[in-house]
Amino acid sequence: MVYWEDIPSDENFISPFYRPGETKYLTFEPDGGGWNNIRMAMESVIGLAIAMGRTLVMPPQKKMYLLAKGDHKQRK
C-alpha cells in the first residue's frame, strides 16, 4: 500500500469476490479500548470490505472511552 501517492487505476478496482446483483455485508463492532485501537480496527475493516467487495455495516453511534468532552474519569 502506498498512502502518499494517488494511483488513478485504483478508482477502477473491482474486487474479484464481487458478484453483480448479489449484496454481501461485513459488520464492524468497535472494542472497548482506546481511540487508537478503534481507529486501527476501523482502517482494517474498511480495507477488508473493499477487498472482499462487501458493504460495510457500522454500529449505532455511541460514546467512546476517553473521548467525551471534559472526561476526567480516566483509568489510572
Side-chain angles (χ1 to χ4, degrees), residues 6-68:
D6 184 30
I7 303 171
S9 62
D10 282 356
E11 292 178 14
N12 302 321
F13 174 78
I14 297 175
S15 170
F17 300 104
Y18 175 72
R19 304 286 181 261
E22 183 179 37
T23 304
K24 292 190 175 188
Y25 301 93
L26 179 66
T27 60
F28 174 69
E29 182 68 33
D31 65 13
W35 165 244
N36 201 43
N37 292 352
I38 296 169
R39 180 194 56 83
M40 290 189 320
M42 179 74 161
E43 288 177 2
S44 297
V45 80
I46 289 171
L48 283 170
I50 291 169
M52 294 167 53
R54 294 179 180 239
T55 299
L56 182 58
V57 179
M58 300 299 293
Q61 198 172 20
K62 66 178 185 178
K63 288 187 176 186
M64 287 195 260
Y65 171 66
L66 292 179
L67 288 184

Side-chain angles (χ1 to χ4, degrees), residues 64-74:
M64 287 195 260
Y65 171 66
L66 292 179
L67 288 184
K69 192 172 188 176
D71 190 357
H72 300 291
K73 300 176 184 173
Q74 295 183 7

